[in-house]
Each structure stands twice: as structure tokens, then as C-alpha cells.
Amino acid sequence: MTVHSLIDDLNTPQHEAVTTTDGFLMVLAGAGSGKTRVLTRRLAWLLANEVCRPEEILAVTFTNKAAREMRERVAEMLGMDPTGSMSRFWIGTFHSMGARILRQHADRLGYDSNFVILDTGDQERLVKNLVAESGGFARNNHWTPRRLVQTISRWKDDGVGPDQITEKHVLFPKDRVRLAEIYRGYQEALKRTNSMDFGDLLLNCLMLWRDNEDLLDLYRNRFRYLLVDEYQDTNKVQYQWMKWLATGHRNLCVVGDDDQSIYSWRGARLDNILNFSDDFPDTKVIRLEQNYRSTGNILRAAASVISNNDGRMDKTLWTEGEPGEPLVLYSAQSAEDEAEFVATEINSRASVGDYTPFSILVRTSRQTRLFEEALGIHRIPFQVVGGLRFMERAEVKDALAYLRMTASNRDDLAFERIINQPRRGLGPTTIERLRDLSVQTGLPLLEAARLATAQPEHQKMMRPAARNSLIRFITLIDQTRQTLEQSGPRAALDYLLVHSGYLESLESSDRGDDQRENLQELAAKLSQYSSLTAFLEEAALVSDMAGSNQTESEQGPITNFVTISTLHAAKGLEFPVVFLVGVEEEMLPHKMAMKDGEHALEEERRLAYVGMTRAREKLYLTCARQRFLFRERVRPLPSRFIAEIPKEIIENKGIGTRHRRGVGGGRGGRTTAYSWRKR
């Protein structure tokens, strides 16, 4: 491309964002406004006009994939070899840039240049050993290795060292001193083993520049032009990086959208983009508001919702395109009806079996089960983005295995899956001896276990502790069968999860809350059955149908499928048709956000905005008049976000649309907690 062709097809704000080369620049890039085009053209413009050399640009993205695509696009525009002079171009994630800098200067921090970068598993093993060596936590079992690693990582993202930990930095104030000791010991162990974690790759660069003015000047002079993508997702240390490097030449361009800031739980600071003009005086702000993705009605709806947030910069998306179809708001009789409507609607709109245009967006991963089932029944292929299908999740498979064991003495696969879930002190040797006894006697494993614990000639095959564990397991299965006969399948599952210790084991799991929600969802499904056999049969059929919807086959990848995704994982994606489901109070906005104050509620509204702006041509919003939660059906209220959309662009379908009193209030109906629900 020639210099002029780099800007010929840009609109006025895009043109200005590409050609404004000097000074502090903030590009507010609304959803679908051509952000990627602006980023790549700006980089190409700097090089094509010889404003600077490739090695004088530091361009930061948030994924390696985005960095690679940006490099390839710029090289193609300029007719350059990506492995030639373009290889001098510093483009990548913050962490990859930090590693590149530290490889050259780690000795100034007391590290060798060949330092090791630990992954999450390495970090957890290191922390686990440190905690064990120092006597563990007397207070509670909340602080698992993963939670400790996550906490330390968050502190590093905020630039907080071991000596700076105060009570405001910890969940349990009484643990402050203990946590600071572990953090300090962790850092000492990293230094001793010549290792760094991902947080160190950024924080150690700041320490390097703070203590070595010559190096700070070196990188300030080298990187004459700085570019940061997705600036709304930066944390405190990343902000400090850019601030230190930009001092002097003042050529810092950030691109982002405050309305799409949805990662505060990962350390992102919305204030970084909201306060950019105050932090960097004389900033030029360019708004990219022309949308090239969505129809007018979709944009109008999304803008109406997001305008209710106070913590945002003024920006309104518009399009030269047609208004398009109205939004569809489907009020379902039940959650099952909601899923059936979505599957039926997809089938009716799918052109000759093409399912790629469709996406189902959920607030929480536990919502996917009913949609997976409905799509499977209709033989519609699907892929769950960023997570496992519901029936493939470990805790669900464990619960099903317990139920299968209850239903049949002969289910050896179920026996082997759950015999040590949770751990019962039955080692590989004991299990192998049970297998041998099973082969010798022709008995299934459960009956072999009965024999091994009851007959004196077999009792010597295991230690007394193992024998007692097996007796407790056998008793558990026997008593569960009695519960099944007396009270039905749902009561049997409740009994199993409590008396097996499985629920208690989730207390120390980092995914414990999510796992409980998934088990509650499974229990809600089981409540609808009077026969355990019928439930297990349908569960097996659903799993089989999901298997037929896998995205790999003998002929290679299957690319024709409906995408099911959480709202967080959908950011950056777009689809012709989007079903934003479960748009109800305590779902979207999520119940936890409703408890955490206005800032959390505004992030939920941004999540809804992100979901709505994924749609190009058609947007469906669905809510259910009834859902089966815990032991009975409840009546959730439609989300307050629905009331923020102009009525004239909504086509109402389903039932109950005239009964929406009190949208935005508390949940209607009555909930009864599981006996094993976490309190």
C-alpha cells in the first residue's frame, strides 16, 4: 500500500487517529468502530512516513494472537518481511515485553539472564511447600495454594510488595501477617531458584528502572512511540509502565473503550482510561463512534442501556446502515421453554443447515446445560467457548458416577471414578488388589470390596485403615439406596453429596463456588424425575448427543456450529445473530454484583452492553418466568436492563410480557436452599 492508500478509506476520526503521530493521544474506540484498522494503519503510517524506525515503536496488546496478527498486517501493508526488518518491531503483550527487557538486564536485580518463568502449576507447588514448611493456616482452609498464588498475583498487579500488605489488602485481616510472611518467603524462593512469575515480569521492570536511571533513560530514548491496545483492561503496574516510559517524548497513544471494561476481577482499573486526560496533560481525545458492525436498532438499544452508567466517558455509537429488525424479547414460561425457543429459532433461521451465524451468550457457565440439551435434541452442532460442556465438568461427572453406583452394583467404571473422590486413603495398591480379587471371583468391584472387608481370608490384603474406608464407602452406597427407595432420586443425590464428604471437599477448592452451582443445576434437573434409571438414561443420551456435536471428526475440524459462550469470553467476537439469555435480576445483573454496590452494578451493565454489541443483524433477549432453583420453582424478575431499552424497538414474544411490574426490584418468588447449599 502507498502512504495515501493507508488513509484513503478511513472516516474522519479514523484518519485523525492514524495521522496524529505526536503527543498524548487517547482513541476511544466504540464496539465495531474499526479499532483494529486504526491500530494497524497507525503503525504502518509511522513507518511509511519514516517518522521512526521499527525498533523505536513499542506496541502492546493483550494476547499473543493479537500481536502476531498486528505484525503480519503491518508487514503486508508495507510489503515488508515479517522476519526481516519487521522483526525489530517491539510488539507483544506486556509480559513478553517485560521478559525481553529482563533477559538483558536481570543481573542488576540479582538474577541470571537465563531465569526461569514459572507457570501457575509451578507457583502453586512452590507455595504449597512454603505453607507446609511453616505450619499451614490455623484459621481456616480457605487459603489453598491456588488462592494464595492468585492473591500474590493481584498484589503484584497493584505494585504491592510483602512489606506493604495492610488489612485492606486481605480477605481475613487476622491473616495479614501470615500472608505477608508467605509472600516474602515466596519472593525469596524465586530469587534463590533464579525464577520469576508473570507478575515479576512487569514489577521487576519497574524496579529495574526505579533503581537504574541509565536503563530508564535507555528505554525512554529507544521507544519514541508507544501504543497500548485495550487500555481499559490495564492494571496499576501496566499503567505505571507507560507513564514512566512516556515521560520525555510524550508520544503515548492508548486505544480502548471504557464501556467494555469488564475485567475488574482480574485487576483491570477503569480509572486508567477515565482519568487518562488528567494523568497526561494536553491529551488529544478522538472518539470512534461510527459503527460498522451492528444495525441501528441494536446500537440504539445498547446505547440506551450503557447511558445509565455514571462512570463513563461521553460516546454514542451510530451507523449509516439500516435500522434493521427490532430486537426480540422472549418471555419464556420456564428455563426449559427458554432453551427450546432458542433451539427452534436457530433451526428456523439456519440457512441450509449453516449454524455459524448463531451465538448463545450466558452470564454464568452453569446456564449452558439446558441449551446444550436443547441443541443436542435438535441435532444442532455447538461449541462451548472457553469452558467444558456441562456434562463434561468434573464435579458433574463425579455426581453422575455416584448415582450410577447407586443404581447398579456392576458399574465398575463408576466405582473407579469415585472410590477416591474425595480422598479416602485408598492407595493404588489397594485398588489394584481389589481389581485382582474381582477378576479371580468374577464379582464386580463393589462386591469384591464387600468380600475383601467381610471375609477373614481376604482382609489381610489391605491395611486396617484402608479396610475401614472401604466399609464406610460400602455403607454410603447401601444407605443411599435406602434413601432412593424412600424419598426419590433427588434426596439420594443430596445424601450422597453430603455424606460422602464431596461437598465438604469443595470448601478448599478454588472453583468451589462454581462447582456448587453446577451441582445445584444438576440437582434441579434431577428433581424433575421420579426414576433414577430414567434420569441416568437421559443423561447418557445427552452426553452422546453432545459427543456427536464435537468440533473434531475423523475428517478434521468441524467448523459449522452454534457458539455458546460466557459474556466475558465473547468480548472481541461478533456474530450475525446473538441470543443473550437469562436477562433477569440476579442473573444479569448477577446477584453478587447487586450486593457489591454501584461500581459492580455498572460493570454488569457493561457486560450486557458487550453482549448486545456482539450482534450484527439480529439480537434476541430472553428471560424465564420460572426457573427451577434449589428445591422449587422461583419467579425471577426481568432484568432492569430490559426496562432501559426503548419499547418501540422491541418485539415481545412468549408470555407474561404484560405482567412486568417492578423491573429492577428484588427477586420475586421464594427460594428454599438445598440442605447442602453453602451458607
Side-chain angles (χ1 to χ4, degrees):
M1 298 179 73
T2 65
V3 171
H4 291 295
S5 64
L6 287 173
I7 56 175
D8 280 348
D9 57 348
L10 302 180
N11 64 36
T12 300
Q14 289 175 338
H15 179 285
E16 190 177 9
V18 168
T19 59
T20 301
T21 56
D22 295 329
F24 294 123
L25 174 66
M26 178 165 64
V27 180
L28 283 178
S33 62
K35 180 193 74 168
T36 302
R37 172 179 289 191
V38 167
L39 285 169
T40 53
R41 298 290 180 88
R42 178 178 173 82
L43 293 175
W45 179 266
L46 289 170
L47 298 176
N49 286 278
E50 298 182 349
V51 176
C52 62
R53 299 187 301 274
E55 60 268 28
E56 293 178 313
I57 299 175
L58 176 64
V60 184
T61 67
F62 269 78
T63 67
N64 291 316
K65 178 183 177 183
R68 182 174 61 256
E69 291 177 351
M70 189 180 295
R71 184 192 304 275
E72 291 172 351
R73 289 192 188 189
V74 173
E76 182 180 0
M77 289 178 196
L78 301 179
M80 300 172 67
D81 180 2
T83 62
S85 58
M86 278 296 293
S87 64
R88 308 198 309 270
F89 191 9
W90 283 59
I91 178 171
T93 64
F94 274 103
H95 294 99
S96 66
M97 298 297 98
R100 189 170 175 179
I101 291 169
L102 290 169
R103 291 293 180 198
Q104 300 179 47
H105 310 290
D107 59 309
R108 300 214 191 182
L109 293 171
Y111 288 86
D112 293 336
S113 61
N114 63 343
F115 60 85
V116 175
I117 301 174
L118 301 186
D119 61 19
T120 303
D122 295 327
Q123 292 175 263
E124 291 175 10
R125 281 188 289 274
L126 176 56
V127 166
K128 182 178 181 179
N129 292 338
L130 287 171
V131 172
E133 291 170 3
S134 58
F137 277 90
R139 246 184 57 79
N140 55 45
N141 60 356
H142 171 81
W143 293 112
T144 63
R146 179 168 295 182
R147 283 202 179 103
L148 287 168
V149 167
Q150 291 171 340
T151 301
I152 291 172
S153 295
R154 174 63 72 86
W155 287 336
K156 290 185 179 183
D157 288 343
D158 288 338
V160 177
D163 298 329
Q164 299 167 300
I165 304 299
T166 65
E167 290 190 357
K168 72 177 183 179
H169 293 117
V170 298
L171 181 63
F172 305 112
K174 291 182 179 180
D175 290 338
R176 180 187 65 81
V177 174
R178 186 81 177 86
L179 290 169
E181 290 174 352
I182 291 172
Y183 185 6
R184 189 177 298 107
Y186 173 74
Q187 289 303 108
E188 291 171 353
L190 290 179
K191 193 77 165 285
R192 188 169 59 251
T193 58
N194 195 40
S195 304
M196 297 187 196
D197 61 23
F198 274 79
D200 290 326
L201 297 179
L202 303 185
L203 196 54
N204 281 346
C205 279
L206 289 183
M207 295 172 59
L208 191 69
W209 294 334
R210 181 197 65 194
D211 299 335
N212 299 274
E213 190 172 347
D214 61 320
L215 289 182
L216 180 57
D217 289 340
L218 170 68
Y219 285 101
R220 280 176 175 168
N221 293 329
R222 171 179 289 177
F223 300 132
R224 294 175 48 222
Y225 289 88
L226 308 174
L227 174 66
V228 184
D229 188 17
E230 302 287 5
Y231 189 69
Q232 77 280 350
D233 294 334
T234 53
N235 60 39
K236 185 174 182 179
V237 168
Q238 290 163 345
Y239 160 82
Q240 200 68 40
W241 252 58
M242 293 299 109
K243 186 172 184 178
W244 283 16
L245 289 176
T247 301
H249 56 66
R250 297 164 56 86
N251 296 326
L252 170 61
C253 171
V254 300
V255 182
D257 182 6
D258 55 304
D259 289 336
Q260 297 188 71
S261 178
I262 57 175
Y263 296 118
S264 64
W265 51 276
R266 244 171 26 189
R269 293 164 56 100
L270 179 62
D271 286 347
N272 286 357
I273 193 167
L274 294 181
N275 299 335
F276 188 84
S277 295
D278 295 330
D279 295 338
F280 300 92
D282 304 319
T283 290
K284 183 175 186 177
V285 179
I286 298 174
R287 289 172 168 81
L288 305 184
E289 297 174 299
Q290 183 174 359
N291 179 280
Y292 296 92
R293 176 189 299 162
S294 305
T295 65
N297 282 334
I298 292 172
L299 293 181
R300 185 181 173 193
S304 298
V305 171
I306 200 64
S307 65
N308 288 276
N309 272 1
D310 293 327
R312 66 184 295 263
M313 304 181 74
D314 184 37
K315 177 173 70 280
T316 302
L317 296 183
W318 60 276
T319 179
E320 290 182 342
E322 297 296 322
E325 299 181 52
L327 281 67
V328 169
L329 173 59
Y330 183 76
S331 300
Q333 173 67 51
S334 64
E336 293 79 9
D337 175 31
E338 177 188 42
E340 176 63 21
F341 167 78
V342 171
T344 302
E345 198 73 6
I346 289 174
N347 252 346
S348 68
R349 294 185 69 104
S351 174
V352 293
D354 179 14
Y355 298 105
T356 55
F358 303 97
S359 177
I360 302 171
L361 303 184
V362 300
R363 174 61 180 86
T364 64
S365 60
R366 71 180 174 88
Q367 290 173 260
T368 68
R369 177 185 66 83
L370 287 174
F371 296 97
E372 292 176 37
E373 288 185 7
L375 293 176
I377 290 169
H378 285 266
R379 292 291 172 180
I380 298 174
F382 64 87
Q383 180 185 45
V384 180
V385 173
L388 294 172
R389 291 178 171 85
F390 185 84
M391 290 298 184
E392 293 174 350
R393 294 165 190 168
E395 62 275 11
V396 173
K397 294 179 78 171
D398 288 343
L400 288 173
Y402 268 111
L403 291 171
R404 285 164 47 196
M405 192 77 262
T406 301
S408 172
N409 279 347
R410 306 194 63 82
D411 198 331
D412 285 354
L413 291 177
F415 181 94
E416 296 223 24
R417 180 176 184 93
I418 61 174
I419 189 59
N420 259 327
Q421 285 289 357
R423 294 189 180 279
R424 297 185 172 86
L426 298 171
T429 301
T430 300
I431 304 302
E432 188 58 39
R433 287 174 178 170
L434 281 179
R435 290 195 194 102
D436 291 341
L437 184 59
S438 173
V439 171
Q440 292 169 14
T441 61
L443 295 171
L445 286 171
L446 181 64
E447 296 308 313
R450 290 186 195 277
L451 187 63
T453 56
Q455 298 296 328
E457 64 268 26
H458 296 299
Q459 289 178 353
K460 59 184 179 183
M461 65 184 285
M462 65 187 73
R463 295 177 294 104
R467 184 167 61 254
N468 290 335
S469 291
L470 266 183
I471 291 172
R472 286 193 293 271
F473 177 77
I474 295 167
T475 302
L476 170 72
I477 299 301
D478 290 343
Q479 292 180 343
T480 303
R481 286 173 178 166
Q482 293 178 17
T483 303
L484 175 65
E485 292 174 4
Q486 296 168 2
S487 306
R490 172 56 199 278
L493 178 61
D494 287 355
Y495 187 91
L496 278 168
L497 292 175
V498 171
H499 291 85
S500 67
Y502 194 90
L503 284 173
E504 184 179 355
S505 72
L506 297 184
E507 295 290 340
S508 59
S509 169
D510 302 289
R511 290 186 53 250
D513 291 341
D514 289 340
Q515 290 170 313
R516 280 179 177 275
E517 284 197 351
N518 289 332
L519 290 172
Q520 289 167 2
E521 182 67 19
L522 181 70
K525 175 71 172 176
L526 185 57
S527 295
Q528 302 169 37
Y529 290 79
S530 58
S531 165
L532 178 58
T533 301
F535 170 77
L536 291 173
E537 180 177 316
E538 181 169 322
L541 290 173
V542 168
S543 297
D544 179 65
M545 285 185 287
S548 69
N549 285 304
Q550 295 292 331
T551 56
E552 293 287 335
S553 71
E554 293 179 359
Q555 289 74 40
I558 298 172
T559 57
N560 177 24
F561 50 76
V562 173
T563 298
I564 303 178
S565 173
T566 64
L567 287 166
H568 285 100
K571 187 170 177 290
L573 304 178
E574 59 181 73
F575 303 90
V577 183
V578 166
F579 293 84
L580 181 52
V581 301
V583 189
E584 303 157 7
E585 292 289 288
E586 298 198 9
M587 189 77 79
L588 183 65
H590 194 273
K591 60 183 178 181
M592 296 304 296
M594 295 170 68
K595 296 177 182 178
D596 290 344
E598 192 61 30
H599 290 298
L601 190 59
E602 292 205 348
E603 182 152 326
E604 290 294 300
R605 188 174 278 110
R606 292 194 292 272
L607 260 180
Y609 174 83
V610 165
M612 296 169 75
T613 54
R614 299 311 93 194
R616 295 206 298 260
E617 301 167 12
K618 184 72 176 180
L619 175 62
Y620 292 82
L621 307 176
T622 68
C623 56
R625 192 173 178 183
Q626 298 181 70
R627 287 191 185 276
F628 205 97
L629 293 176
F630 312 123
R631 289 193 180 276
E632 61 185 26
R633 290 193 179 274
V634 296
R635 294 180 176 271
L637 290 172
S639 169
R640 67 193 69 194
F641 302 150
I642 293 175
E644 296 169 353
I645 301 172
K647 295 180 181 178
E648 61 269 22
I649 62 173
I650 294 180
E651 176 186 357
N652 289 296
K653 291 188 176 183
I655 64 163
T657 56
R658 63 183 181 276
H659 299 301
R660 291 199 191 110
R661 294 178 299 164
V663 172
R667 179 192 287 266
R670 178 168 55 94
T671 60
T672 302
Y674 287 129
S675 59
W676 45 267
R677 185 186 177 201
K678 185 177 180 181
R679 290 173 168 78

